Every structure is written in C-alpha cells, then in structure tokens.
Amino acid sequence: MSVLDLPRPAWMGEDLVLLSDTARRFFLEECAPHYDRWEAQGAVDRDIWLKAGETGLLGAEVPEAYGGPGGSFAHDAVITWEANRAGIDGWGGPLHSAIVVPYIVQYGSEEQKQRWLPRLVSGELIGAIAMTEPGAGSDLQAIRTTARRDGNHYLINGAKTFITNGQLANLIVVVTKTAPGEGAKGTSLFVVETDETEGFRRGRALDKIGLKANDTSELFFEDMRVPADALLGHGEGEGFVQLMQQLPQERLLIAIYAMGRIERALAVTLDYVKARQVFGQAVIDFQNSRFVLAECKSEATIAKVFVDHCIERHLRGELDTATASMAKYWVTDLQCTIIDRCLQLHGGYGYMNEYPIARMYRDARVERIYGGTNEIMKVVIARTL
Ligand SMILES: Cc1cc2nc3c(=O)[nH]c(=O)nc-3n(C[C@H](O)[C@H](O)[C@H](O)COP(=O)(O)OP(=O)(O)OC[C@H]3O[C@@H](n4cnc5c(N)ncnc54)[C@H](O)[C@@H]3O)c2cc1C
C-alpha cells in the first residue's frame, strides 16, 4: 500500500502489479532481515544476487533469447521502487539491471549478448559501470584512462573511483580514451570480465557517510589486457554517444529511487507520530505536525505524477535528457527535504540509528551528487531555455 492516494499509473499493467508483489516480498523477507549485517560488513552477501536472479528480479530488459524475461524499463521501475520502499537502498541491483545491462542489450554484438546476458540475468555476473576518476567526475571528457590496441587485445591503464558494486562486480563497463587527443570522439567503452583479467586490481571499499551496504570502491587498471572483442559497438570512438543515449534512463532511475524513499519516509513517520505521545497527545495531533505532513504529502504526490509522466514518455522512447534531468534533480532534492522534515518529527529518536528515518537521512544525501550532480542537471536544463 502506498501512502499516496493516487490511482495506479497507466503504464503499470496487471503483470507489473504481480511483479511488484513478488519484489516487495523478496526485499522484505530475503533482504531486510540481513540489512544491518550488510551495513556492518560494507557489502551485501554475494548470494543475494543469485537469489534475486532466481526470483526474476535481475535483467528485466533482457530478451527471452538471452535468458531474460523480455520486459521493459517498466519492470525495472517497479523493482527499483519496491527495493527503495523496503529500505534496501544499498543493494546495487537497479544499477546492474537498468544501467549496466542496457549497454550490452543495445550495443553488444550477438556473440557478446550470448556471452554475458544470461549470466547477468542469473546473478552469476554482477555489473558495475566505471566512469568517474579521481580527476574527472562531472567533466567526463577529462577522463585519463586509456585503451591502446595491442594485436588482438587492448591494454587499459588508469584508475576509477566511487564505483558502485566495486568489490563484488565481475563484469564492469569501463569508460576509456582510445584516442586521447580527440575529446568525445576518442571515447570507447569496454566490457571487462574481471575474474579472468590480468592487470585488474580493486582498491579500497570507500568509507562513506551513507549507503553503507554498498561496496563503493576504487578500481585500478595496470596494463589490463582485454580481448579486442571486449570493445562495445562497431568500432572505437562510439563511447560518448552510447553514454549520452543512456542518460535519460539513468536519471529517471535515480528519480525512482528517490520516489520510493519518499514514500518510505512518509510511511514510517506516520506510524511514529501516531504512536508517540507528548503533552498527553499523539505527535500527529499538533497542528504543526499535520501541516508539515500535509506539505510533504502534497509535494510527494506532485513528484509521483511527474515521475509517472516521465516513465510513460520513456517507455514510448520520447523522454529527452533535459526532462529526465528535471526529474532527477527535483525529486532527489525533494527527497532530502522530506526526509529532513520527517526526521524532525521523530525528535531525538530520529537521530538514533535504530530508527529507519536516521539511515534514510544518511542514505538520501548522495542522490543529489551521483548520476550527474544536481548542478549539472540544471546546466543541462538551462541549455533548453
Ligand atoms: C556513493 C557514490 C556512488 C557512485 N557510483 C558511481 C558509479 O557506479 N560509477 C561512476 O562512474 N561514478 C559513480 N559515482 C561518482 C559520481 O557520479 C560523481 O561523484 C559525480 O558525477 C560528481 O563528480 P565529482 O565527485 O568528481 O565532483 P566534481 O565534478 O568535482 O564537482 C564538485 C562540485 O562542482 C560542481 N560543478 C561541477 N561542474 C559544474 C558546472 N559546470 N556548473 C556548476 N557546478 C559544477 C558540482 O556540482 C559539485 O558541486 C558515485 C559517487 C558516489 C558518492
């Protein structure tokens, strides 16, 4: 049940209602009981990936011919929303399914699809995408990782940082320069199966303020030798266009994470303010609490309607990057505002880690930074003025 009184969106057919029930049960029964331990160990258990695969929650967009369910982004949207509504924010499944897998589905050769997609659907392969470097985040064109052809191989050299799923991933889409002097045209993507690759090294799992159950990491490539057919696309130099084409989906996905968390924040806060007694009455009975929650519910409803509109447009292939950037920036900002107000309504208990709102406060903050910062979203939107 949602705390928002909205009708089921038009994009969500009966099959998606069933998927949503399956996903909710999986996250509440298989993930939630282990979440504190995952946070303490800084990563989810590897076997949760295999269980998610068995339950049909990975690689929703993979066609049946490659072992997938042949779904669409609508399936990823439902799974992502349920994961976040259940508080399973640190599991990198949505990034794997809706960000990494589409690169192979859309740009992979027949041979690459057969080699990787079935194992991405089963959870045997865990995906990551490595764009960011110590010296290049917002300015992706400044990346310095190089890939140099060497016979039937490429040698890749460089360092990446902040990579989600970085310790567990064994299939990584790596952004490189094959022609360093040529700006965007010199960018190429490689798909690296790390289990069999010389010259690949994982650095530290980074110590973050939130999302502690995710193994966000540094990665190093030292003469990393990959076969020439690890290149994605028809030839060198297609990487920047591939990255740009995937932006609307990546940004919309982050807005959906935020929407799921907003709903969770409202749900846990409503439960809390109804139960907590102060000055002989429930916290929800103070006019201030009612007004704050009325504002939150109104803004959350407006956000959900806009996110549903973006999902519908995306499913028709009509979502442009600027509109997706509006969703990413506005809903992730709103998420932080709403979670902050909800924490305040918890009083001191909101600052205690044993209350879900405390972890939500820590976990939400990064959404305004990753996937392109919200300032970069505004740069993109402003170009349309
Ligand atoms: C937990 C976490 C997970 C991540 N996961 C991944 C991942 O899986 N893969 C990956 O490749 N990356 C990942 N990232 C990296 C993330 O995408 C980058 O941190 C982000 O793009 C910003 O880059 P930066 O950190 O280098 O900041 P910088 O680019 O150094 O930005 C610093 C500040 O300058 C501002 N700024 C920059 N350019 C402009 C401009 N033109 N106008 C106005 N302001 C500007 C920014 O908004 C920011 O406030 C992750 C990051 C985190 C924290």
Side-chain angles (χ1 to χ4, degrees), residues 95 99 128-140 160-166 173 175 206 208 210-211 214 216-217 366-377 379 383:
L95 174 133
I99 297 185
I129 180 155
M131 306 186 217
T132 305
E133 299 183 357
S138 303
D139 181 9
L140 202 52
K160 300 286 180 181
T161 193
F162 302 151
I163 307 307
T164 299
N165 300 341
V173 176
V175 181
L206 299 162
K208 309 186 291 299
L211 283 189
N214 193 275
T216 314
S217 302
V366 73
E367 294 235 301
R368 291 158 58 193
I369 297 169
Y370 66 19
T373 64
N374 285 4
E375 292 72 34
I376 294 296
M377 297 303 108
V379 170
R383 284 194 196 120

Side-chain angles (χ1 to χ4, degrees), residues 126-368:
I126 298 174
I129 180 155
M131 306 186 217
T132 305
E133 299 183 357
S138 303
D139 181 9
L140 202 52
Q141 295 201 30
I143 64 159
R144 297 176 61 174
T145 296
T146 56
R148 186 171 54 77
R149 182 96 193 205
D150 180 34
N152 286 334
H153 288 81
Y154 280 88
L155 288 179
I156 299 181
N157 281 286
K160 300 286 180 181
T161 193
F162 302 151
I163 307 307
T164 299
N165 300 341
Q167 295 294 315
L168 291 176
N170 47 5
L171 179 139
I172 306 183
V173 176
V174 180
V175 181
T176 73
K177 284 282 171 75
T178 37
E182 290 183 26
K185 284 195 194 118
T187 305
S188 301
L189 309 189
F190 287 85
V191 180
V192 181
E193 257 198 79
T194 60
D195 291 343
E196 5 178 292
T197 301
E198 290 170 36
F200 170 74
R201 187 163 64 80
R202 301 179 205 271
R204 286 177 302 151
L206 299 162
D207 180 14
K208 309 186 291 299
I209 63 173
L211 283 189
K212 286 181 177 288
N214 193 275
D215 44 322
T216 314
S217 302
E218 300 171 319
L219 302 176
F220 298 99
F221 319 124
E222 289 147 0
D223 277 340
M224 178 169 77
R225 180 173 284 276
V226 298
D229 66 2
L231 177 68
L232 208 53
H234 303 99
E236 293 179 10
E238 295 180 12
F240 209 74
V241 172
Q242 292 165 344
L243 290 166
M244 293 302 114
Q245 285 173 344
Q246 295 306 311
L247 286 181
Q249 174 152 323
E250 293 169 11
R251 291 182 180 166
L252 178 55
L253 186 78
I254 296 175
I256 295 168
Y257 289 155
M259 205 58 243
R261 292 187 190 151
I262 287 173
E263 291 211 39
R264 177 170 167 79
L266 288 176
V268 300
T269 304
L270 279 168
D271 286 347
Y272 184 82
V273 294
K274 285 176 186 170
R276 174 75 175 167
Q277 296 282 318
V278 183
F279 289 110
Q281 66 183 76
V283 171
I284 194 166
D285 292 329
F286 294 114
Q287 189 186 49
N288 177 65
S289 313
R290 302 181 70 75
F291 281 9
V292 166
L293 287 166
E295 286 167 14
C296 290
K297 185 169 178 176
S298 307
E299 290 163 32
T301 302
I302 293 164
K304 180 76 167 49
V305 170
F306 182 54
V307 168
D308 283 332
H309 162 82
C310 290
I311 294 173
E312 267 165 30
R313 276 173 66 176
H314 185 50
L315 293 172
R316 290 199 302 272
E318 293 168 7
L319 183 67
D320 58 281
T321 301
T323 308
S325 303
M326 291 178 199
K328 193 273 177 185
Y329 123 68
W330 196 74
V331 184
T332 60
D333 270 8
L334 179 67
Q335 169 193 224
C336 289
T337 307
I338 287 182
I339 290 174
D340 183 70
R341 291 181 194 148
C342 287
L343 187 149
Q344 187 72 16
L345 289 175
H346 281 69
Y349 295 94
Y351 204 67
M352 299 297 129
N353 278 324
E354 68 191 271
Y355 284 79
I357 198 71
R359 176 161 72 73
M360 296 185 73
Y361 184 80
R362 290 192 274 109
D363 289 354
R365 184 62 182 84
V366 73
E367 294 235 301
R368 291 158 58 193

Side-chain angles (χ1 to χ4, degrees), residues 1-2 8-9 11-29 55-57 60 74-86 256 263 304:
M1 280 293 290
S2 167
R8 173 149 52 98
W11 59 267
M12 203 171 158
E14 280 302 326
D15 62 322
L16 291 166
V17 175
L18 290 177
L19 176 65
S20 149
D21 289 344
T22 305
R24 187 176 322 124
R25 261 202 316 279
F26 177 80
F27 294 122
L28 291 177
E29 291 169 15
T55 314
L57 300 179
H75 297 76
D76 282 324
V78 163
I79 295 164
T80 302
W81 189 55
E82 290 298 347
N84 283 280
R85 274 209 316 159
I256 295 168
E263 291 211 39
K304 180 76 167 49

Side-chain angles (χ1 to χ4, degrees), residues 94-106:
L95 174 133
H96 165 103
S97 295
I99 297 185
V100 177
V101 164
Y103 281 99
I104 297 167
V105 171
Q106 288 176 32

